[in-house]
């Protein structure tokens, strides 16, 4: 048998639904366990506390079998990675213990360079059966420009980090030499390796229990089931063509840029055609894989949230955007801040689908991923002289929906990271958080109000450089069916060195960052007396 053939084992002609369900649940359990192993073994606060990582299983052809419920945008760095490995490397040369590393947005199937992917082939009966894949956001590439991708960090195509279980030290040394905090990077890469080993062992154990032929057949059935669910869900939506327009605005660009999507629903299929301006010399550009991950997430959320997160759900969907635009950029466009645009795209699609099924949609969320990155050199203590980098992503207001107010101070859509506790922040870094609160007046009014944005105020105890990335600086998150707009975002600093969000904080300087609020749903005149009284009691004022 060659490795191109299917692994040995009887492949049943038919599978009963119970077996498929059991194996599907086992696959979900595997990616959940590998995710927890990654978080528990990691070193950096961005992974061990904020959980900015994701795990998945792919079949031998590179189709997504299952992705853990971590960060939706990370699917964009997954869906092309294994196919790229298979394109660039001979499968006959692969062995148990091989591990491929990569991050590049153009040659590696990634979406931005801090998201480093590790993929390990899983062999059963001497043949390739599946892949275990994980991604960790390495918060290291700070204090860099974003006019093109060569300024944004080290580009890594899919190459071997391990060969037959043996570390390729020269590859590791090359990666670490290009990192500002190499000890963190090494520790987090080792955590990624440990997580993949869990994935390999659990998948092989599943094959030993049920038979590899049965597991592979169940994988195919699960893909088909997701497709059927998506088709059935789309069929319940009213046929028609629905368009929606918004703008993207932020501190990276001079003028708001128009975005438009036209969604065509016809029977069991959905076509999403985007119109967007040309790519820019700023990190807000999206690769096509980032656009696909965003669309798959938001369509699934509206059509049927219970659809399995695998490649089958995308089969009834067609997605297009102009090549060389900010939604489908071409080399060498910078992409570091692509998630800002992803958030706006998710709400753009939501706005179009709300015209078809307003009861299923919610008002616009904060449409942003408010970011503050701090970097400096330790001035005291046992780490004196060492570089440090801290990435903070700040939640905002969620959109209101029929029957419920928007959630306050949360990450939305394609981001899903956790909050770093104040105690951990102040213990790890020379920063003090002097204020952390919901922003009064940021919630869009309505029958159900939008969620409130957040305010975080930092005081530096040592000199550091800071990069702030915010959106919704001029525009506002829209309400639905008469709901009001959410509040906008801004930042202020006591040091006047900031230009387009980049600046220097001296010890004692203060930085305030405010994130946007969410839109309201329905006219405020219809808000219940009970909800109005609760707002008054809690001191919540509408935007």
């Amino acid at each position: 048998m060659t490795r191109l053939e299917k692994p040995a084992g009887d492949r049943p002609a038919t599978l009963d639904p119970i077996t498929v369900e059991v194996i599907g649940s086992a696959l979900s359990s595997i990616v959940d366990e590998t995710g927890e192993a990654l978080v528990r073994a990691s070193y950096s606060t961005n992974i061990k506390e904020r959980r900015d990582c994701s795990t998945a299983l792919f079949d031998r052809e590179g189709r997504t079998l299952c992705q853990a419920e971590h960060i939706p945008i990370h699917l964009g760095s997954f869906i092309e990675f294994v196919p790229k490995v298979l394109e660039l490397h001979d499968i006959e040369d692969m062995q148990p213990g091989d591990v491929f590393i990569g991050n590049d947005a153009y040659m590696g199937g990634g979406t931005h360079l801090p998201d480093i992917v590790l993929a390990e082939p899983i062999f059963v009966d001497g043949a390739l059966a599946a892949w275990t894949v994980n991604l960790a956001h390495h918060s290291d590439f700070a204090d860099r420009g974003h006019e093109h991708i060569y300024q944004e960090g080290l580009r890594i195509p899919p190459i071997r980090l391990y060969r037959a279980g043996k570390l390729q030290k020269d590859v590791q040394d090359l990666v670490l030499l290009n990192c500002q905090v190499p000890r963190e990077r090494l520790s987090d890469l080792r955590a990624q390796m440990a997580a993949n080993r869990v994935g390999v062992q659990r998948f092989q154990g599943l094959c030993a229990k049920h038979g590899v032929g049965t597991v592979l057949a169940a994988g195919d059935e699960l893909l088909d089931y997701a497709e059927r669910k998506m088709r059935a869900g789309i069929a319940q939506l009213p046929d028609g063509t629905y368009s929606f327009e918004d703008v993207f605005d932020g501190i990276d660009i001079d003028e708001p840029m128009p975005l438009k999507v036209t969604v065509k629903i016809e029977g069991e299929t959905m076509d999403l055609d985007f119109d967007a301006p040309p790519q820019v010399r700023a990190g807000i550009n999206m690769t096509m894989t980032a656009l696909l991950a965003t669309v798959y997430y938001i369509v699934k959320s509206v059509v049927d949230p219970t659809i399995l997160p695998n490649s089958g759900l995308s089969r009834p969907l067609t997605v297009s955007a102009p090549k060389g635009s900010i939604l489908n950029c071409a080399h060498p466009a910078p992409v570091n801040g692509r998630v800002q645009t992803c958030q706006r795209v998710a709400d753009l699609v939501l706005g179009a689908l709300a015209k078809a099924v307003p009861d299923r949609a919610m008002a616009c969320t904060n449409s942003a991923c408010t970011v503050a990155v701090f970097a400096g050199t330790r001035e005291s203590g046992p780490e004196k002289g060492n570089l440090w980098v801290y990435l903070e992503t700040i939640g905002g207001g969620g959109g209101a929906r029929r029957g419920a107010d928007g959630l306050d101070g949360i990450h939305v859509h394609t981001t899903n990271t956790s909050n770093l506790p104040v105690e951990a922040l102040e213990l790890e870094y020379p920063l003090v958080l002097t204020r952390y609160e919901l922003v009064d007046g940021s919630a869009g009014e309505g029958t159900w109000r939008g969620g409130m944005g957040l305010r975080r105020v930092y005081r530096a105890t040592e000199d550091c450089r800071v990069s702030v990335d915010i959106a919704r600086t001029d525009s506002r998150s829209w309400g639905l069916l008469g709901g009001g707009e959410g509040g906008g975002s801004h930042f202020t600093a006591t040091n006047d060195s900031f230009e387009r969000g980049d600046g220097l904080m001296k010890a004692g300087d203060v930085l305030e960052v405010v994130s946007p609020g969410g839109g309201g749903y329905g006219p405020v005149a219809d808000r219940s007396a009970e909800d109005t009284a609760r707002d008054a009691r809690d001191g919540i004022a509408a935007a």
Side-chain angles (χ1 to χ4, degrees):
M1 173 185 293
T2 70
R3 292 196 174 107
L4 288 169
E5 297 176 27
K6 297 288 186 182
D10 293 332
R11 195 176 179 90
T14 59
L15 279 175
D16 64 273
I18 294 177
T19 300
V20 174
E21 179 69 19
V22 167
I23 292 176
S25 295
L27 296 176
S28 297
S29 177
I30 290 172
V31 294
D32 287 343
E33 186 178 357
T34 56
E36 288 304 310
L38 175 53
V39 169
R40 288 174 178 270
S42 61
Y43 181 84
S44 68
T45 57
N46 195 51
I47 303 172
K48 71 181 180 183
E49 297 277 6
R50 299 187 59 252
R51 304 175 72 91
D52 195 350
C53 57
S54 291
T55 54
L57 284 169
F58 286 74
D59 68 11
R60 65 193 305 278
E61 287 86 10
R63 300 176 299 179
T64 313
L65 283 176
C66 189
Q67 181 184 0
E69 293 182 356
H70 293 148
I71 315 293
I73 188 54
H74 289 168
L75 178 63
S77 295
F78 282 156
I79 53 180
E80 286 297 323
F81 189 79
V82 173
K84 282 287 186 181
V85 172
L86 294 172
E87 173 188 334
L88 297 174
H89 299 272
D90 189 348
I91 196 172
E92 288 292 345
D93 293 336
M94 296 181 190
Q95 307 172 65
D98 283 0
V99 178
F100 295 87
I101 185 174
N103 71 344
D104 188 58
Y106 298 106
M107 291 296 294
T111 63
H112 78 160
L113 301 186
D115 286 346
I116 296 179
V117 178
L118 261 61
E120 183 168 352
I122 303 173
F123 288 88
V124 179
D125 297 336
L128 178 62
W131 294 79
T132 179
V133 184
N134 69 60
L135 178 156
H137 181 119
H138 290 257
S139 299
D140 186 281
F141 306 111
D143 195 16
R144 297 178 187 253
H146 299 290
E147 294 190 356
H148 49 72
I149 197 167
Y150 296 101
Q151 293 181 336
E152 295 190 320
L154 178 67
R155 298 175 63 192
I156 310 171
I159 55 177
R160 281 183 175 85
L161 180 61
Y162 284 76
R163 186 183 294 272
K166 183 176 181 181
L167 172 68
Q168 306 301 287
K169 190 173 183 301
D170 52 352
V171 173
Q172 178 177 279
D173 289 346
L174 175 64
V175 173
L176 296 179
L177 184 64
N178 284 273
C179 295
Q180 294 169 309
V181 192
R183 188 178 73 171
E184 271 193 10
R185 302 290 69 74
L186 177 59
S187 298
D188 287 344
L189 286 171
R190 287 173 172 170
Q192 289 184 259
M193 276 297 304
N196 270 348
R197 292 310 305 159
V198 172
V200 170
Q201 294 167 7
R202 296 296 183 266
F203 190 88
Q204 289 174 335
L206 184 66
C207 291
K209 180 176 181 179
H210 295 280
V212 62
T214 298
V215 172
L216 297 184
D220 291 340
E221 288 289 336
L222 291 165
L223 297 183
D224 293 342
Y225 178 55
E227 178 185 0
R228 291 195 302 271
K229 289 262 287 183
M230 178 61 80
R231 290 187 182 278
I234 294 174
Q236 294 177 6
L237 308 182
D239 284 359
T241 300
Y242 309 94
S243 296
F244 194 80
E245 299 181 28
D246 200 351
V247 296
F248 181 87
D249 58 309
I251 60 176
D252 292 326
I253 55 176
D254 295 323
E255 297 291 338
M257 296 187 299
L259 300 176
K260 180 180 180 180
V261 65
T262 300
V263 178
K264 182 179 181 181
I265 300 172
E266 188 173 8
E268 299 178 343
T269 63
M270 182 183 298
D271 176 83
L272 300 97
D273 180 46
F274 292 87
D275 190 19
Q279 63 195 44
V280 295
R281 290 175 71 86
I284 61 173
N285 304 292
M286 296 169 59
T287 61
M288 189 62 183
T289 54
L291 179 61
L292 292 176
T294 304
V295 169
Y296 296 163
Y297 148 76
I298 194 64
V299 171
K300 174 182 180 292
S301 300
V302 174
V303 171
D304 183 353
T306 67
I307 296 173
L308 297 176
N310 65 42
S311 291
L313 69 84
S314 66
R315 294 172 182 170
L317 306 178
T318 304
V319 183
S320 58
K323 185 66 176 177
S325 70
I326 64 169
L327 302 188
N328 182 16
C329 64
H331 175 271
V335 293
N336 188 68
R338 89 287 186 226
V339 74
Q340 294 283 23
T341 320
C342 291
Q343 300 286 67
R344 198 63 54 87
V345 166
D347 278 320
L348 192 71
V349 176
L350 195 62
L353 292 178
K355 294 182 178 181
V357 281
D359 287 353
R360 295 192 186 186
M362 63 180 176
C364 186
T365 71
N366 66 83
S367 291
C369 179
T370 305
V371 177
V373 183
F374 303 82
T377 301
R378 302 282 184 179
E379 298 178 5
S380 60
E383 298 290 320
K384 183 177 181 179
N386 290 343
L387 293 172
W388 61 274
V389 178
Y390 171 56
L391 168 71
E392 175 110 300
T393 61
I394 304 169
R401 63 189 189 278
R402 180 175 293 277
D405 291 342
L407 297 177
D408 301 320
I410 60 164
H411 283 274
V412 297
H413 293 325
T414 60
T415 64
N416 193 32
T417 51
S418 298
N419 168 58
L420 181 67
V422 175
E423 296 83 359
L425 186 156
E426 296 181 349
L427 178 66
E428 297 265 2
Y429 306 105
L431 298 167
V432 174
L433 201 64
T434 62
R435 294 179 70 181
Y436 179 25
E437 60 195 11
L438 297 171
V439 179
D440 191 28
S442 62
E445 64 181 14
T447 309
W448 297 280
R449 69 165 178 83
M452 303 171 71
L454 287 172
R455 174 182 287 108
R456 284 172 78 88
V457 180
Y458 310 85
R459 177 169 54 83
T461 58
E462 295 180 1
D463 294 355
C464 60
R465 293 204 61 83
V466 185
S467 179
V468 179
D469 188 10
I470 58 176
R472 288 290 187 203
T473 52
D474 299 310
S475 69
R476 297 293 181 265
S477 300
W478 41 268
L480 192 60
L481 298 181
E485 296 179 339
S489 66
H490 69 269
F491 79 95
T492 56
T494 56
N495 191 315
D496 61 4
S497 68
F498 280 77
E499 182 177 354
R500 286 198 183 277
D502 295 332
L504 175 69
M505 290 182 71
K506 294 285 189 179
D509 285 348
V510 173
L511 171 71
E512 176 191 63
V513 181
V514 172
S515 65
Y521 188 107
V524 67
D526 294 340
R527 188 162 180 79
S528 71
E530 179 183 356
D531 289 340
T532 302
R534 186 180 68 247
D535 290 344
R537 184 182 66 246
D538 295 341
I540 298 173

